[in-house]
Amino acid sequence: MSGGDRNLAVAASRGDVEAFAKLVGDHSSLVYRVALRILGADDARDASQEVWIRVWRNIRNFRGESAFSTWLYRITVNTCLSIRQKESRRDERELGDDVPYLSEPSGGDADPEAAALNAERREEIQDALQHVRAEHRAALVLRHMEGLSYSEIAEVLDVPDGTAKGWVSRGRAALLVALAEKNGLHRKQEAGG
């Protein structure tokens, strides 16, 4: 953990609102990005706000044994999983379409065809991720979209390393199956079948 984050977390835990605001500023893109990838565009903003409320309420419990970002990932993932569980109980699954899973082409003069293909691919991945179990999806997002190591994922999700690896693997397999099924259905429709 950077000394700056540690100092800010300690100050925030003592009620320093400016230190907390600095943490929010420094890490809000991480929180929103993870929420967007786990929940989709419709719920990501609300989830991000809920994460920061939980961080403020629990910052006194941050002991500094791990990086602040690891602690923040854990709160973010748990908040998102909690929201998804509430959604599934209500059986309301309204999902966003514009989720940036693949990197955007750099520069303003990007090839429009490549940009359109990337946007289409992001939509396919977002749709396919809806067929991945919540825990596996969280592990998959942390590994392949956030770049965390298996041990970091295990720490964030509070599971053994082997479980983290298994969840990433099962998430990847479920994602690939969903993508393959969608692709097969798309080909059938194009063939008039």
Side-chain angles (χ1 to χ4, degrees):
M1 170 169 154
S2 76
D5 281 350
R6 182 183 311 275
N7 294 339
L8 289 171
V10 167
S13 72
R14 293 181 182 146
D16 184 336
V17 176
E18 288 181 28
F20 183 73
K22 176 84 170 114
L23 286 171
V24 172
D26 291 350
H27 298 284
S28 62
S29 63
L30 175 154
V31 170
Y32 182 74
R33 188 176 62 239
V34 171
L36 185 65
R37 290 173 171 166
I38 293 176
L39 296 173
D42 290 342
D43 296 322
R45 198 163 262 112
D46 289 342
S48 296
Q49 291 175 354
E50 178 64 26
V51 166
W52 289 112
I53 290 168
R54 290 181 182 192
V55 169
W56 178 250
R57 286 180 183 158
N58 293 295
I59 194 118
R60 286 179 192 89
N61 299 330
F62 177 69
R63 296 183 303 271
E65 294 170 359
S66 62
F68 177 78
S69 61
T70 301
W71 187 72
L72 185 58
Y73 271 121
R74 179 178 291 162
I75 291 173
T76 303
V77 169
N78 287 340
T79 300
C80 291
L81 292 177
S82 174
I83 289 169
R84 281 192 53 92
Q85 287 172 345
K86 288 175 188 172
E87 268 182 14
S88 66
R89 280 188 223 122
R90 286 185 307 223
D91 200 34
E92 295 174 5
R93 294 188 184 257
E94 298 175 29
L95 304 170
D97 296 326
D98 54 342
V99 180
Y101 285 103
L102 303 177
S103 60
E104 296 294 332
S106 59
D109 58 349
D111 177 13
E113 185 177 353
L117 289 173
N118 278 343
E120 184 178 317
R121 188 67 177 156
R122 283 191 305 272
E123 287 179 30
E124 288 176 10
I125 291 172
Q126 171 61 25
D127 291 342
L129 273 171
Q130 303 317 307
H131 301 283
V132 177
R133 200 168 133 194
E135 299 85 11
H136 301 168
R137 181 181 203 195
L140 184 67
V141 164
L142 292 172
R143 177 69 179 160
H144 292 291
M145 296 171 189
E146 293 298 312
L148 270 62
S149 70
Y150 289 114
S151 62
E152 290 170 322
I153 294 166
E155 187 174 353
V156 167
L157 298 177
D158 200 23
V159 296
D161 283 6
T163 301
K165 288 178 185 176
W167 284 2
V168 169
S169 178
R170 288 195 275 299
R172 187 180 314 116
L175 178 66
L176 293 174
V177 166
L179 286 170
E181 286 175 355
K182 181 174 174 53
N183 196 12
L185 179 64
H186 184 65
R187 284 195 185 127
K188 268 186 177 178
Q189 289 171 343
E190 284 180 347

